[in-house]
Amino acid sequence: MHDVIGFGLVIAAILAGILLNRYDVKELRGDTNRGLDKLESRLDKVQGDLSTRLDRVHGELSGRLDRMQADLSQFYRTAGQHETRLDTLEKRVG
């Protein structure tokens, strides 16, 4: 009985190997590779889109920071002028 089970398992393994090596399975593997190629092209497109959007956002943020720096420079210049005027008025009064 044990010999029949052992022999049957070997035969089943051989048949499974033959079945898995059929042309249809190879074609399925080819379809999988084509699917991976499509996925890679989609990922490349998404990466390109993200890179473009990040570059645009980076440019916008750089512009905003430049404007903020210019505004702060103007603020400090104006604050210095007011400080000078206050000092002049304090000397006149005091």
Side-chain angles (χ1 to χ4, degrees):
M1 180 71 177
H2 292 289
D3 293 337
V4 173
I5 292 175
F7 187 69
L9 287 176
V10 170
I11 295 282
I14 291 171
L15 290 175
I18 291 170
L19 178 66
L20 291 177
N21 284 324
R22 286 185 43 205
Y23 178 76
D24 296 341
V25 174
K26 289 179 184 176
E27 189 175 315
L28 282 175
R29 289 181 186 152
D31 288 343
T32 303
N33 289 337
R34 278 183 253 136
L36 289 176
D37 291 340
K38 287 180 183 178
L39 181 61
E40 286 178 2
S41 67
R42 280 181 164 174
L43 288 175
D44 289 341
K45 182 181 178 215
V46 167
Q47 185 179 9
D49 292 346
L50 285 176
S51 177
T52 303
R53 291 176 72 188
L54 284 175
D55 289 343
R56 183 176 45 91
V57 168
H58 180 265
E60 290 174 1
L61 288 177
S62 294
R64 286 182 182 179
L65 286 174
D66 291 342
R67 288 191 301 272
M68 286 174 62
Q69 187 174 10
D71 288 346
L72 281 174
S73 296
Q74 179 65 32
F75 170 77
Y76 286 123
R77 193 173 20 256
T78 305
Q81 291 171 356
H82 288 298
E83 186 69 30
T84 304
R85 288 179 185 172
L86 283 173
D87 288 341
T88 305
L89 288 174
E90 285 176 355
K91 288 179 185 175
R92 284 185 192 171
V93 172

